Amino acid sequence: MPLPHTPSISADGLSRAGRPRLAFLGTGYLGATYAVCLAELGYDVLGFDPDASKIAHLAAGRVPFHEPGLQDLLRTNLAAGRLRFSTSLDEVAAFGDIHVVCVGTPQRAGAMAADLSQVRSAITNLVPRIRRKALIIGKSTVPVGTTAWIESLVADHADPGLGIEVAWSPEFLREGLAVNDVLRPDRVVFGVRSDWASAMLHAAHQGVFDLAAEESREVPVIVCDFATAELVKVAANAFLATKISFINAMAEVCEASGGDVELLAQAIGHDARIGRQFLGAGIGFGGGCLPKDLRAFQARAQELGVGEALRFLYEVDLINQRSRQRVVRLAATLLGCPDGPTGPDFAGTRIACLGATFKPDSDDVRDSPALSVIRTFAAAGAEVRVYDPRGTDNAREAVPEVAYAQSLADAVARADLLCVLTEWGEFREADPAALARLVRGHRVIDGRGCLDAARWAAAGWDHHTLGRRVKVQQDSARWLVR
Ligand code: UDX
C-alpha cells in the first residue's frame, strides 16, 4: 500500500501539515536508514555526512551497505524530491527544524567506554551555524548523561537568543529488518525537558502514527526524562544479550549432562513470562551494537559508582566469548585434532565455514562470532574456505588470510567438516544429499541450530549442534568440558 505523503514544505518554519523538516547528521547505517524511511513517510529530509563518497553514493541512489528494501525506497524518495544528501553543514543548519544526531559511538580504543568524539564534533560544528530555534534529537546509542552534556555544548556554542533545545529519542533497529523497524516501531521513547520539545517529537513521528492508524495499530509513546530515554536503549540491549547468554550457558550445562538445549528453549519459551525469542543457542551474539553497548554500559555504571549492579554483564560477555570457543573445541574433537600448546592443532584439516556476517540478511561483519571462529580455525592451522551470500567483501577485508568461495558448493568441496556459522536461508534450504557427494568427511556442526537435523542425518551426515552431548573419543572429550 502506498504511504501517505505530506504537501510540500513552505520556505521557513514548519510545513502547512505541521511536519518539521528533518536533517540527519551521519549517514551510516542508522542515519541513512532513518533519512530514507522518514522521507518515505512524507517528510522533507536532508542527510548530512562529512564523508563525500558516502554522500555521493546515497545521492546517486546507491545504499553503501546491504539492508533489504532500503535501496528501492532511497530511489523512490530521491526521485520524489523529498530526500537530499549534502556535505555542507551550512545547508543543514539552514534546512532543519529538527537535527537528528545519528553519528557513530564506537568502543573507545583500549577501553570499554564509548567514544563520543563524533557526537561532540557534530554538535560543536553545527550549532554555531543555526540561525533559528531548532530541536536537536540524539539517536545514537550513548552513555547515560550524554544529553545533558550536549545541552551544555549547545549552550557554549549556540546563539543563546535562539533557544535551541535538545531531546533524546533512542532507536531499536535490527539489521535486516531496519526499514520495517523505522516505519512500524513497537514503541517510541521521547526524552524531553519541555512541552515544545515533546510537541516537536510528536510532529516528527506523525508519519509513523498515521501509518499505524491506517493499519489499525497503535504505537506506544513513552515520554520521560533524558536519563531514562538514554537508559532504555542500553537496558534493552543488555537484556537481549543476557537472554542469549543465558541460553548459551544452558547449552553448556546440557552438553555436560546429556540435555538438549533446543527442547529446553522450546519448553521454557512457552512460558509467556519468558518467551521463545532470543533463546537461540549457538555461537552467540555479535554486530555493531550488542557487544559494544554491553561494555559501555558497564563502564558508565562504574563511573556512576554502581559498577556492582552491572557486574553480571561481564559474565554475559564471557559466556558469549566462550560460545565462540566451544564451536572450535567441538570441531577439534570431531576431527580428532591433537592438543597444541595454545589449543587444538588443525593442521592438515579442511574446514568449510558457511557464513561470515554476524546475522543473516546483512553484510555486516563487525564483531561477528562467525568471523571470530573463522580466524581461530585459520590461526590453528586449518585450511579454511568461507562462503557468505552477502558478506564476502567485508569479511575478506577483515580476515584476508582465508579463502573465499563464490558458491556454497565451491566452499564445501573436499571439506573434512562443515561449520554453519550464520543462519542464512540458503544454508537452511541446501540439499544435504547433494552436499554429501562433494565432501571428504560427512561432518557438520550447526553453530546456529538452523538445519533440519533429521534431514541431514538421513543424508548420511554426522550432525552436531551446540547444546547437545557429543559422543567423542575418550582422549578428546576434555575439550568439551574445559
Ligand atoms: C540489536 C537489537 O536487537 C536492536 O534493537 C538494536 O537497535 C541494535 O542491536 P542487531 O544488532 O541488528 O540489533 O541484531 P539482533 O537481531 O539483536 O542480533 C544480535 C546478535 O545476537 C546476532 O549476532 C544474532 O545472531 C545473535 N542472536 C540473536 C543469537 O545468538 N541468538 C538469538 O536467539 C538471537
Side-chain angles (χ1 to χ4, degrees), residues 248-314:
N248 283 331
M250 292 305 108
E252 292 185 49
V253 178
C254 283
E255 281 164 14
S257 61
D260 181 324
V261 76
E262 168 60 27
L263 296 176
L264 176 82
Q266 266 181 38
I268 65 173
H270 281 300
D271 184 331
R273 294 169 303 173
I274 296 174
R276 180 65 182 83
Q277 287 189 49
F278 275 67
L279 287 181
I283 61 172
F285 59 82
C289 293
L290 260 48
K292 94 168 162 59
D293 292 354
L294 207 62
R295 292 169 198 149
F297 198 13
Q298 292 169 74
R300 185 66 184 128
Q302 265 165 20
E303 285 169 7
L304 292 168
V306 288
E308 227 172 303
L310 297 191
R311 208 157 54 191
F312 73 98
L313 291 181
Y314 183 68

Side-chain angles (χ1 to χ4, degrees), residues 29 141 171-177 181 187 233 236-237 240 244 247-248 276-290 293 320 357-360 367 369 423 448:
Y29 182 79
T141 304
E171 53 78 26
F172 307 98
L173 304 193
R174 293 162 297 172
E175 292 193 20
L177 301 167
D181 284 347
R187 81 292 209 186
K233 174 60 192 276
N237 277 357
L240 293 172
I244 298 168
I247 203 64
N248 283 331
R276 180 65 182 83
Q277 287 189 49
F278 275 67
L279 287 181
I283 61 172
F285 59 82
C289 293
L290 260 48
D293 292 354
N320 194 48
T357 53
F358 85 104
K359 67 189 282 191
D367 208 341
E423 64 276 35
R448 290 293 186 181

